[in-house]
Amino acid sequence: MSARRKVLLKVIILGDSGVGKTSLMNQYVNKRFTTQYKATIGADFLTKEVMIDDRLVTMQIWDTAGQERFQSLGVAFYRGADCCVLVYDVTQPNTFKTLDSWRDEFLIQASPRDPENFPFVVLGNKVDLENRAVPTRRAQGWCETKNNIPYFETSAKEAINVEQAFQAIARKALEQDAKTSCDIGLEPNIPIQPEPAKDKSGCCT
Amino acid sequence: MVDSTNKSHKQLHVSSTGNAVLFTNTGIPSPIDLSSSQEHCPTDRQGSPIHITKNFNSSTERPINGTIETGEQGEGGDCNEDQYYPFPVKSEACIEKIKQDWTRAVEYLQEGDILSKLREMALHGELESQPLRGIAWRLFLGTLPTATEDWIDIVNKQREKYNSDKNKADIDPHKNASSHPLSNESNSAWNQFFLDQDLWLIVDQDVSRTWPEERIFTNERIRNIMRRVLFTYAKSQSKVDYRQGMHELLANIIYMMCREHERCPVSQEIPEYIRHVVDPSYLEEDAYTLFSELMEYCDIWYDGGHEEATFKARTNIRIETPFEKEGVVLGLTALSKKLNKIQGTLLKKHDPELSEYMDSLELSPQVYGIRWIRLLFGREFILKDILLLWDALFAQGTSLDLIDYIAIAILMAMKNSIIDHDQGDCLLRLMKYPQDFPVRDIINHALHLKHPSWPNPYGSIKPVISSEKLSTLSSPPREQIDYANNNSTEDPSKWSKMKVNQNWKSKSLRSNTIQVTNTQPLSIRSKIQSLPRPRVPKSAHTQLSNPLSSPKKQSESSLTGSNSQNPVATKTADDQISNLEKEIEFLRVKSDYCVGKLTAYVDHLQDIMYQSTFATKESEDLAYLAIAGIKQVRDVLKGQLELGDSSFGLDSNMYHYLRESNPNLVEDHISKDSPPSDQDKPPRYRLGSKELEEDSVDLFTNTSPPISAEMVEIHSPPDPLLDSSQDFPLSPSHPLEYID
């Protein structure tokens, strides 16, 4: 195989209704924010081409409805995901509490080969607002207990940390993609280099 | 009406007990003490469940003039037919216009069966220009009966029902002394209260992001109505709780009603029952009634099955219940089943190629289809078009099964952007909204897919392309085939397009016919003038604005024009031919139109007859024979049945015309010009039966121009062999048996 395989990374964004999933996706892909988003019904998606270590990959970012149940989208939707982004609203503690359920549910539906090491990224969104209710430390604590999920605090509105977070997401997804390609016997084109330091570059500490 | 002062990010919401809840624009309530703030918040708009009772029973929100600014109207008081009425209504001219519209509409409704008339209008997209859409939807969905004398009573009851549902939905835990706020009992009043608060927040979150681009939905009065209606619905009607998407169904209903209120009858001459139904001061009650009724038919698509239990548990943040594993038991929801049926079965049937390609990409219909179905295509088109789509959808019955065909029509419309594209591109295309194709085409195509007799809107597009190519090749026989293939597939709504295309169409036609015709233009005209007029029963003539009207005029003028020409001059011969061609084209389209109408009416009749019992066996037989006769007329018009084969006989006029045609020439023409595959087909006109032939030889020798064959050919519809949709046995009977 002289030519490199075209890489398509599938990223799924999950989280409660109104935490800013659509806004984050649009901020990252279109560099735009508007207060005029409608509620997502079912799912929506955008694609973006990104360079990761001189490698051009296409990211297919799936935005899901916060109230959508897993069942309605079908198992096929979740299978083949390379990374799962869990979003909560830092001003609403209950959206943080449900992260557990979202994560568990995703693992059940997507049933990845190695659930323990499946890449998740957690985003605490709306940090531009004053009435913060979930302390950073609490969120970080939760991420640590879940096999050190990278955690970012973002604002889709102010474009804070969005680029960094999605860079990390892309990187994680690419690693995962390489892993699964190996599993199914394709030539591993990507050197698997877990880069914990880099992953955390945009993280809040 | 609009509360312009209410723009701060933080709003205070005062409970009935004086406890206030501080709402930030992020939606997190935190109780604070504001016992004396009630007076300071007279224009409290947003409200929490606790607050509902106060808002519910207040009459201060009723609009003074009964209308709400929708924000989309034209400037000032002009009364452009094509636009909605300015709102609120001011100008005298507008009031007069509204009065006239209503008077006409009421007269129209009083003429006969309201329901079928409104259905007819809805399917043809004619409710748009009428003030009857609200009434039509109510009738279609069954919130109003067809008996108008019952309307006032029924509407009063519905309005009372809403107010009682609304009051029941509001639980005030303070009234229940036995309940403690910190009680963990799931059925305690306080627990219910907190659950309600969550529900209110979810509803509020969606309401405040409803159609942000439409000014009407930025109006706080409208938003409050939506919040209360959705909350009340979720509490008292819903089997599936409030689910995202319901808010947009309600929004579209409210939008339609506000539009209806713009045209609210101002005249006392309008019957009381209509004024009562469209009374703008009951927007909230009426929206609730219609919305609840619509949800009766749609709620299964919001039902997540087993997952509901886990969802409810999860939204209850006071009782931390983790996801239950059995909540994700595999099994398809009603929505998934429906979507699988659409892409897996229906699309396969109507467009196997597309279906196969989509299967090969492993495109799951859930991904793009959930939104389509749940919102009833409410995002796939602009708001104005959605109302048109819903007109047809509701008119087709409360099973809303036209949905499946609309979905297929949309998929087929974007076929070119799907076939040969990769999965990502396809998904982008499928999920892009609003769609950029004309909604009327989608509606008509869906109706055509559901009822094959409904004219296919794309029927007239294909021939345009192929004829264009062919006209440059100047190949007469193929041109004729094109016409034949597309004869019965015109849609009335394509009339404007047709008119545009007519010019070059006649040009290409002329190049084909001129060699044959310019020898005897006069006789051609006499032939065409003696063409049989399509026989359509009176009942089949629609009262609705008839798309035929303008072409008819054109045709008439062309006829008079040709009469004034000197037929001898070669120059005028050309004009004549072109006029005649126009006439032929017009006749052809007219007969197609009549076929469509006839079919629809016959179907209606037949349905009714199947359900009816007849006084005598004889009358039943007569009725069915009459239906069969009408079907034969239709099929003759359609070209599936030859005149000589029909059993209804020929009158002297028809007989005369048939005798004038030269059967030999007809036969001749077919063997010469038709492509080889056509040779097996029966002669176009069976009047070439022996007796007639013998009879007509001497009569015909003087006036037997070759063009008659040409003309007949052009006028003749698809070959019966190509169409297997004949629904009654053909019993060819000898034409002469029926000649007096």
Side-chain angles (χ1 to χ4, degrees):
Chain A
M1 229 202 229
S2 57
R4 277 182 159 187
R5 187 170 57 92
K6 191 186 168 192
V7 180
L8 182 74
L9 304 175
K10 185 174 179 180
V11 173
I12 293 176
I13 310 179
L14 300 174
D16 279 1
S17 173
V19 296
K21 298 180 291 297
T22 308
S23 299
L24 281 165
M25 179 175 83
N26 270 291
Q27 178 58 262
Y28 175 60
V29 176
N30 299 321
K31 307 267 175 267
R32 261 205 317 254
F33 175 83
T34 153
T35 50
Q36 299 219 328
Y37 289 120
K38 298 175 183 177
T40 307
I41 308 294
D44 221 332
F45 94 125
L46 288 174
T47 55
K48 186 174 167 105
E49 307 230 304
V50 267
M51 288 295 288
I52 303 170
D53 302 334
D54 305 328
R55 185 86 202 271
L56 187 68
V57 298
T58 306
M59 242 170 130
Q60 200 180 72
I61 307 168
W62 284 90
D63 171 31
T64 57
Q67 222 197 34
E68 197 53 73
R69 308 293 77 232
F70 282 88
Q71 210 170 343
S72 28
L73 278 167
V75 178
F77 178 78
Y78 301 93
R79 298 229 165 112
D82 297 305
C83 181
C84 176
V85 182
L86 302 172
V87 185
Y88 78 96
D89 176 349
V90 295
T91 69
Q92 299 209 37
N94 52 333
T95 65
F96 174 70
K97 285 183 189 173
T98 52
L99 288 187
D100 249 325
S101 326
W102 284 114
R103 181 180 170 275
D104 292 351
E105 195 86 354
F106 175 82
L107 289 174
I108 292 167
Q109 296 294 328
S111 47
R113 214 166 274 259
D114 181 10
E116 274 307 298
N117 293 307
F118 185 87
F120 286 92
V121 172
V122 171
L123 308 183
N125 193 32
K126 305 196 188 179
V127 288
D128 55 292
L129 296 177
E130 285 163 18
N131 53 326
R132 181 176 185 128
V134 181
T136 306
R137 200 183 299 162
R138 192 174 158 204
Q140 278 175 334
W142 183 83
C143 289
E144 278 161 23
T145 64
K146 303 291 170 189
N147 207 3
N148 285 320
I149 298 178
Y151 172 63
F152 294 84
E153 296 201 332
T154 59
S155 162
K157 190 178 176 188
E158 310 283 343
I160 299 171
N161 244 351
V162 176
E163 187 65 39
Q164 292 90 324
F166 275 92
Q167 275 289 327
I169 291 163
R171 203 169 287 280
K172 283 261 170 196
L174 190 60
E175 278 172 26
Q176 176 70 10
D177 180 70
K179 251 194 257 177
T180 45
S181 307
C182 273
D183 286 349
I184 59 169
L186 289 175
E187 186 185 335
N189 295 305
I190 335 290
I192 304 163
Q193 298 171 341
E195 292 166 286
K198 256 191 179 175
D199 278 343
K200 291 199 172 162
S201 59
C203 287
C204 305
T205 43
Chain B
M1 279 318 94
V2 191
D3 178 16
S4 55
T5 61
N6 193 10
K7 278 183 179 159
S8 66
H9 282 289
K10 294 183 179 179
Q11 293 159 13
L12 286 174
H13 303 277
V14 185
S15 77
S16 47
T17 56
N19 294 329
V21 177
L22 177 70
F23 276 79
T24 64
N25 59 344
T26 57
I28 270 288
S30 55
I32 54 162
D33 180 41
L34 255 166
S35 46
S36 62
S37 66
Q38 203 155 352
E39 304 84 347
H40 304 300
C41 294
T43 53
D44 181 2
R45 294 288 173 181
Q46 197 157 317
S48 67
I50 340 170
H51 193 64
I52 296 168
T53 317
K54 214 177 67 165
N55 262 358
F56 277 6
N57 298 328
S58 90
S59 56
T60 52
E61 286 216 27
R62 294 243 184 275
I64 298 152
N65 62 355
T67 55
I68 297 150
E69 207 177 321
T70 51
E72 232 186 54
Q73 70 274 12
E75 300 301 316
D78 65 316
C79 225
N80 189 342
E81 276 259 43
D82 298 332
Q83 286 176 355
Y84 293 110
Y85 291 109
F87 204 25
V89 176
K90 276 174 193 160
S91 89
E92 283 289 314
C94 257
I95 292 175
E96 193 46 44
K97 175 86 178 61
I98 292 171
K99 219 155 99 179
Q100 281 172 9
D101 277 2
W102 271 100
T103 315
R104 253 203 319 272
V106 169
E107 276 168 16
Y108 178 67
L109 285 183
Q110 281 166 347
E111 274 166 22
D113 178 11
I114 299 186
L115 194 56
S116 50
K117 277 184 178 183
L118 289 173
R119 280 200 171 125
E120 181 80 9
M121 290 171 87
L123 294 184
H124 287 95
E126 284 156 1
L127 284 179
E128 174 97 291
S129 55
Q130 298 284 340
L132 294 168
R133 181 175 265 155
I135 288 178
W137 285 18
R138 286 173 173 93
L139 280 158
F140 296 158
L141 293 176
T143 68
L144 278 185
T146 45
T148 50
E149 60 270 22
D150 300 335
W151 284 11
I152 294 182
D153 263 4
I154 284 172
V155 166
N156 282 341
K157 277 182 195 145
Q158 288 166 347
R159 289 171 184 168
E160 276 164 31
K161 166 117 176 37
Y162 171 64
N163 285 308
S164 108
D165 281 356
K166 188 177 64 175
N167 289 336
K168 271 187 250 163
D170 175 42
I171 293 165
D172 184 354
H174 299 91
K175 286 177 190 158
N176 191 338
S178 65
S179 175
H180 191 277
L182 297 179
S183 156
N184 259 344
E185 286 169 50
S186 57
N187 57 352
S188 82
W190 276 101
N191 189 44
Q192 192 55 49
F193 164 76
F194 288 117
L195 281 177
D196 285 355
Q197 213 167 26
D198 293 338
L199 171 64
W200 185 260
L201 285 175
I202 293 171
V203 167
D204 176 59
Q205 194 169 49
D206 287 344
V207 166
S208 33
R209 43 182 180 166
T210 303
W211 287 107
E213 65 272 37
E214 292 286 338
R215 225 171 80 198
I216 178 175
F217 294 109
T218 59
N219 179 316
E220 267 307 311
R221 185 177 104 81
I222 292 292
R223 287 188 178 188
N224 273 332
I225 288 177
M226 286 185 68
R227 289 180 185 112
R228 286 191 297 258
V229 168
L230 289 169
F231 183 81
T232 308
Y233 169 77
K235 291 281 290 173
S236 50
Q237 297 276 317
S238 177
K239 300 178 210 87
V240 292
D241 214 332
Y242 167 77
R243 308 305 310 271
Q244 284 185 319
M246 291 179 185
H247 67 297
E248 290 195 14
L249 296 182
L250 173 67
N252 296 354
I253 286 174
I254 287 183
Y255 182 83
M256 180 279 291
M257 284 184 167
C258 289
R259 290 265 170 258
E260 181 185 65
H261 294 158
E262 284 177 277
R263 305 173 183 202
C264 172
V266 278
S267 160
Q268 293 298 316
E269 295 147 38
I270 306 299
E272 167 73 14
Y273 64 86
I274 287 185
R275 276 184 289 135
H276 194 71
V277 168
V278 295
D279 187 344
S281 20
Y282 293 96
L283 173 65
E284 182 168 343
E285 288 86 345
D286 294 349
Y288 176 80
T289 306
L290 202 53
F291 171 70
S292 309
E293 194 63 29
L294 176 60
M295 288 311 299
E296 279 288 303
Y297 313 111
C298 300
D299 60 0
I300 49 163
W301 303 317
Y302 284 91
D303 192 354
H306 295 293
E307 290 174 332
E308 285 317 303
T310 56
F311 170 73
K312 282 182 179 163
R314 198 163 64 78
T315 52
N316 175 9
I317 54 167
R318 284 174 54 81
I319 304 166
E320 295 209 35
T321 316
F323 270 128
E324 293 155 13
K325 292 287 186 266
E326 57 266 38
V328 289
V329 167
L330 292 174
L332 292 175
T333 59
L335 180 62
S336 283
K337 281 183 199 152
K338 188 178 183 67
L339 287 164
N340 287 342
K341 182 192 146 202
I342 289 171
Q343 194 185 301
T345 315
L346 266 183
L347 184 63
K348 191 168 264 163
K349 183 181 159 200
H350 291 287
D351 196 334
E353 185 196 9
L354 182 58
S355 159
E356 203 172 295
Y357 188 75
M358 287 177 77
D359 286 351
S360 74
L361 289 182
E362 295 180 338
L363 282 176
S364 148
Q366 282 78 14
V367 171
Y368 62 86
I370 288 178
R371 188 179 69 218
W372 290 12
I373 311 289
R374 285 211 182 133
L375 303 184
L376 303 178
F377 306 97
R379 287 224 185 132
E380 312 315 308
F381 300 93
I382 57 167
L383 198 38
K384 193 166 153 268
D385 286 349
I386 292 160
L387 301 188
L388 275 171
L389 190 87
W390 283 18
D391 285 345
L393 180 60
F394 299 160
Q396 283 282 295
T398 49
S399 68
L400 304 181
D401 57 352
L402 191 64
I403 288 176
D404 302 9
Y405 297 93
I406 294 170
I408 299 291
I410 293 178
L411 289 173
M412 287 168 77
M414 46 175 80
K415 184 174 179 176
N416 288 341
S417 340
I418 294 178
I419 297 275
D420 295 338
H421 289 75
D422 67 20
Q423 197 202 41
D425 286 350
C426 289
L427 282 168
L428 272 180
R429 180 70 190 89
L430 283 162
M431 299 177 76
K432 176 196 150 208
Y433 64 88
Q435 305 290 355
D436 46 12
F437 22 72
V439 74
R440 280 303 310 167
D441 284 353
I442 295 295
I443 296 169
N444 280 321
H445 194 210
L447 286 167
H448 172 72
L449 293 169
K450 192 180 173 203
H451 313 284
S453 57
W454 188 270
N456 184 347
Y458 304 119
S460 59
I461 292 174
K462 282 177 197 161
V464 169
I465 299 155
S466 53
S467 311
E468 190 164 34
K469 268 191 220 149
L470 292 166
S471 71
T472 55
L473 296 172
S474 198
S475 153
R478 289 181 63 192
E479 175 85 45
Q480 288 148 14
I481 294 158
D482 271 328
Y483 271 98
N485 283 341
N486 295 286
N487 233 359
S488 58
T489 51
E490 303 288 4
D491 170 44
S493 70
K494 285 284 169 190
W495 268 90
S496 48
K497 261 185 207 170
M498 294 242 6
K499 270 165 75 183
V500 177
N501 290 329
Q502 232 161 29
N503 279 341
W504 71 259
K505 246 189 183 175
S506 12
K507 226 189 273 168
S508 67
L509 239 181
R510 191 182 312 171
S511 65
N512 300 331
T513 51
I514 206 153
Q515 47 202 344
V516 206
T517 60
N518 60 6
T519 49
Q520 282 180 308
L522 242 186
S523 56
I524 311 162
R525 206 180 73 222
S526 65
K527 279 288 166 302
I528 288 166
Q529 278 171 335
S530 64
L531 259 180
R533 296 277 156 207
R535 291 194 206 166
V536 183
K538 263 213 161 127
S539 64
H541 285 292
T542 170
Q543 300 282 329
L544 310 172
S545 64
N546 192 334
L548 284 172
S549 51
S550 59
K552 194 174 184 180
K553 269 181 213 150
Q554 191 191 347
S555 152
E556 272 164 11
S557 66
S558 73
L559 239 180
T560 45
S562 68
N563 280 341
S564 64
Q565 302 288 335
N566 177 4
V568 187
T570 8
K571 198 184 165 195
T572 52
D574 252 16
D575 293 339
Q576 256 188 330
I577 291 162
S578 117
N579 284 333
L580 294 173
E581 285 159 0
K582 275 184 204 158
E583 202 181 346
I584 292 167
E585 177 67 8
F586 165 62
L587 283 170
R588 186 180 68 78
V589 178
K590 187 159 128 183
S591 84
D592 290 344
Y593 178 77
C594 292
V595 165
K597 287 280 169 196
L598 263 176
T599 307
Y601 287 111
V602 166
D603 287 350
H604 279 310
L605 256 180
Q606 209 160 269
D607 285 349
I608 295 164
M609 280 167 60
Y610 284 142
Q611 291 157 13
S612 330
T613 43
F614 290 86
T616 61
K617 182 85 183 84
E618 199 184 9
S619 62
E620 185 176 354
D621 288 348
L622 280 173
Y624 279 105
L625 275 175
I627 288 277
I630 297 172
K631 281 187 176 177
Q632 288 200 357
V633 176
R634 177 199 62 190
D635 286 24
V636 168
L637 270 179
K638 216 172 170 181
Q640 288 178 352
L641 181 66
E642 306 307 343
L643 253 185
D645 292 339
S646 65
S647 58
F648 46 79
L650 302 169
D651 61 15
S652 52
N653 189 20
M654 197 63 227
Y655 177 55
H656 178 73
Y657 170 70
L658 292 183
R659 277 168 64 107
E660 279 203 352
S661 339
N662 188 337
N664 289 332
L665 274 166
V666 177
E667 299 283 350
D668 206 40
H669 166 79
I670 287 164
S671 58
K672 251 194 277 172
D673 289 346
S674 301
S677 62
D678 280 1
Q679 288 195 345
D680 298 336
K681 291 177 191 171
R684 299 271 163 184
Y685 272 70
R686 293 279 180 83
L687 35 119
S689 56
K690 260 196 178 153
E691 288 90 330
L692 194 57
E693 239 172 88
E694 285 165 7
D695 226 329
S696 58
V697 170
D698 53 332
L699 282 168
F700 206 69
T701 37
N702 300 332
T703 54
S704 53
I707 186 60
S708 69
E710 186 67 29
M711 175 201 57
V712 165
E713 183 63 21
I714 289 163
H715 188 68
S716 86
D719 194 285
L721 292 182
L722 295 175
D723 193 322
S724 55
S725 68
Q726 284 175 2
D727 46 1
F728 67 96
L730 282 179
S731 52
S733 40
H734 201 282
L736 291 184
E737 278 174 43
Y738 299 95
I739 297 169
D740 316 339

